Each structure stands twice: as C-alpha cells, then as structure tokens.
Amino acid sequence: MSETGSHNDVPENLPEHGSVHGSAPAKADPFANPGLPPHEHRRQDIDEKAAKHSERVVAGLFTLSMLGTLGFIASFVIFPVDKLIYVFPIGHVSALNFSLGLTLAVALFCIGAGAVHWARTLMADEEVADDRHRVDADDELRENVRQQWITGAKESGFGRRKLIRNTMFGALGMVPLAGVVILRDLGPLPEKKLDHTAWAKGKELINSNTNQPLRPEDVAVGSLTFAQPAGLNEDDDDFQTQIAKAALMIVRLKPEDIKDKQERDWGHQGIVAFSKICTHVGCPISLYEQQTHHVLCPCHQSTFDLSDGARVLFGPAGHPLPQLRISVNDQGNLIALGDFSEPVGPAFWERS
C-alpha cells in the first residue's frame, strides 16, 4: 500500500529549475551593443541617371547662389538710397534694403541647400562604427584618420563630379564680393568730386537770403553777405551736398586795405569772395569783425584775415580760405570767373 505525500512525489506546479520562490529567469545584458541596421541603398547609389540628376540639382543651387550675389551687387548700384517700393504685406520699404536682403538671402540659402542636397543624395551614407580611442593619438591612429579622410573625400565625389566642384567654387568665391561691395559706403570714391564745386565761369552770385542776383551796389563797405551759385535750389536732391562746397561769403573792403595783390586782382572794386567753409572741420564761418577784417569760425575759433588772402591768424585751421575770382556781366550782376582757386573744405589735403 503506497502512502500519499511521499517525498518522491513532485507536484506539477513547482517553479522551473534555477528559480527561487517564483522569480523570473535572468535577463540579457541591457547595455549590449544592438548593432547597426542593414544598410539601405539610395536610388542614386544604384541608378547613375538619378545621381546625374542630383548632381545637376546641386550645381543649379550653387549657380543660383552666384546669381544672387550678382543681384546683390546690381541692386547696390541700381537702386538709390531714398527709393521706396510697396511690398505686400509689409508695406512701403526701402528698395535698396529690400533688394540687398533678398538677394543675399538667396545667395547664402542656395549654398547651404546645395551642400545639404549633395550630402544626402551623393555622398556615402553608410554608417561605420569605430572604437573610442585615446586622446594622445599614436602613429597607427593618425594613419587611420588619414585613410578615413582620403576615403571620405573619394566617396563625396568631389574629384569626379566637376560640375558640382566648379559651381561650388564659384558660389563660395563670389559671396565675399557682397561684403566688398558694402565697403563702398565707407566714403566717397577716389574721384575729383572734392576738387570741383557748382561754381563755373559766368555763374551769377545769388544772395542766399533774397534769392536775387547780387550787384556791386548791393554790397556796402564793411558788410558781410552770403551767396550761392545761380541754378542751385533748395528743392534739389543734392542741394545740401552742393551748398556744402559752394557756400560763399562776400565782403567789401576799401581797395587800399587789401594787402594781397592776387586778392585785389580777383575781386571787383574791393568786393572779394571767399569760401564760407572752414578749412579745419568744415563749419560755416559767419562771424565778421569789421574793423580788422577778420572772420572767426564759431566751432574752434579759427581766425582768417580777409584783407590778406584769408590767411590763418589763429586756431587749428591748416590753410587759408579758397578765393573765388569774380567780375560783373552785361546786366551789372556779380558773376564768377571760374571755380575756387583750390579745393574747399576740411582736411582735403590729407584725404587726397
């Protein structure tokens, strides 16, 4: 007769071998290397026609970048600073600023877009795992890096895809030209603009206060009058630029008080004309001392002697005021016989 509950009997619901008190089986290493997914070839990798299409797209973007740079330069030359255009929905904006920003954005964006499209469609995209190396590279590691560089350059197609290479060089080479063109705003071009003013032979002297031609009898001895050339109007766009060089002061002296022979010869019946622009920093001269025939610049007190060729008596001005040779026409009005004897304005000699 057998006994129930013998130690030889094993219940069917006992846990599997190796587990204790119903615990789960041991898990795999959670930090194990999962490996790389299988490499999937792109269409450009297996179809040369598709690769050529991508190459043309990249070259087209680089070419568009070059056109953007040319547009930037053309906009800088074509559009005046004060021209406004209407752009929906922004409103009225400066044509120059809008065109410069738009063309430069196109130039830079197309370089970036071309580089991204090149990398995504034509450069090798197969992932390669590499072990972390020490900071101090040995000769073997250096050689490995060099070989990786050579392999990467070869796989990029930089050497054999000449269309991309040439257009990329063109785009990258032309973009800096935009910065060079902007340097144009640092100052005037090396021309002769400072050598000449609006005065010319036969130009009548116009009273700056009355806008009427000046006659000798209008200028009293000891008086100081300001004049400008005929044809120069305040409504002109370049009025401020022109008057800054052509502003004139006229004084009438007794002929015997004029010490400089050329000054006397270039005047008319004791009436002499000098530039109103101080030769120090370009302030307008307006303070006249009747008894001494001295004029004083109110900015830095440069003092000029109008009876002696407007030479400098005091102050930081570096040279005399230029004189304008004058006479009268058939109508009896004062006229200029040419331009100033020398360039007007401050520090011209240092800029020329």
Side-chain angles (χ1 to χ4, degrees):
M1 179 177 178
S2 61
E3 295 180 1
T4 61
S6 170
H7 67 278
N8 293 327
D9 296 333
V10 179
E12 298 179 356
N13 59 350
L14 285 178
E16 297 180 0
H17 178 70
S19 62
V20 181
H21 301 296
S23 60
K27 294 182 179 180
D29 183 4
F31 300 103
N33 186 353
L36 296 175
H39 175 66
E40 296 182 4
H41 291 286
R42 301 163 300 185
R43 182 180 177 185
Q44 290 82 358
D45 297 331
I46 58 179
D47 186 354
E48 183 60 24
K49 185 177 180 180
K52 287 291 185 182
H53 174 74
S54 295
E55 182 179 1
R56 289 192 294 270
V57 170
V58 175
L61 288 169
F62 289 154
T63 302
L64 189 58
S65 172
M66 289 187 280
L67 294 177
T69 302
L70 292 176
F72 182 94
I73 298 173
S75 300
F76 195 88
V77 175
I78 294 173
F79 293 110
V81 177
D82 55 351
K83 181 176 179 59
L84 298 177
I85 58 174
Y86 181 80
V87 179
F88 178 83
I90 303 175
H92 287 88
V93 296
S94 168
L96 178 61
N97 291 345
F98 181 79
S99 60
L100 292 180
L102 181 62
T103 53
L104 186 60
V106 169
L108 296 177
F109 174 81
C110 288
I111 289 179
V116 170
H117 191 71
W118 183 8
R120 292 179 64 88
T121 60
L122 295 175
M123 294 185 183
D125 67 335
E126 186 173 356
E127 296 184 1
V128 178
D130 195 5
D131 294 332
R132 181 178 297 175
H133 55 77
R134 294 174 42 165
V135 176
D136 53 335
D138 53 19
D139 294 338
E140 181 179 356
L141 181 58
R142 293 192 185 96
E143 179 62 23
N144 184 30
V145 171
R146 191 179 74 87
Q147 291 299 328
Q148 290 181 10
W149 168 262
I150 296 174
T151 302
K154 182 178 180 180
E155 292 178 347
S156 69
F158 186 81
R160 61 189 180 89
R161 299 191 185 276
K162 296 182 180 180
L163 183 60
I164 291 180
R165 182 183 62 196
N166 295 339
T167 52
M168 183 192 70
F169 282 154
L172 294 178
M174 290 184 65
V175 163
L177 292 179
V180 175
V181 171
I182 294 177
L183 296 178
R184 164 65 182 84
D185 278 347
L186 292 180
L189 293 175
E191 299 176 356
K192 297 294 184 181
K193 295 178 180 178
L194 295 175
D195 290 339
H196 305 288
T197 70
W199 291 107
K201 186 176 182 179
K203 284 259 185 174
E204 292 185 340
L205 277 63
I206 304 299
N207 191 309
S208 298
N209 296 320
T210 64
N211 290 325
Q212 297 298 319
L214 277 169
R215 303 174 66 87
E217 55 268 26
D218 297 334
V219 185
V221 174
S223 65
L224 181 67
T225 306
F226 301 119
Q228 63 189 45
L232 193 61
N233 300 315
E234 294 185 5
D235 296 333
D236 297 338
D237 293 337
D238 62 342
F239 174 78
Q240 296 298 334
T241 300
Q242 296 298 331
I243 198 64
K245 297 186 295 181
L248 196 69
M249 59 180 178
I250 301 170
V251 63
R252 189 164 197 166
L253 308 174
K254 294 179 180 179
E256 59 270 20
D257 290 341
I258 301 177
K259 305 171 186 177
D260 185 77
K261 182 178 184 302
Q262 177 177 291
E263 177 183 349
R264 183 168 52 249
D265 295 341
W266 283 22
H268 178 75
Q269 298 178 357
I271 301 174
V272 292
F274 290 94
S275 171
K276 186 183 176 182
I277 309 303
C278 180
T279 57
H280 177 218
V281 292
C283 295
I285 299 173
S286 58
L287 304 177
Y288 177 59
E289 191 177 55
Q290 187 182 62
Q291 300 300 320
T292 61
H293 312 304
H294 297 169
V295 287
L296 178 70
C297 176
C299 292
H300 304 95
Q301 288 71 54
S302 292
T303 306
F304 306 87
D305 187 356
L306 296 188
S307 66
D308 192 11
R311 66 183 180 90
V312 181
L313 297 176
F314 175 80
H319 51 277
L321 298 172
Q323 184 178 0
L324 185 71
R325 189 176 182 182
I326 61 174
S327 185
V328 294
N329 58 14
D330 296 339
Q331 290 76 36
N333 298 328
L334 290 172
I335 61 171
L337 294 180
D339 206 344
F340 283 106
S341 58
E342 57 191 30
V344 302
F348 175 85
W349 313 115
E350 287 77 10
R351 296 201 304 268
S352 63

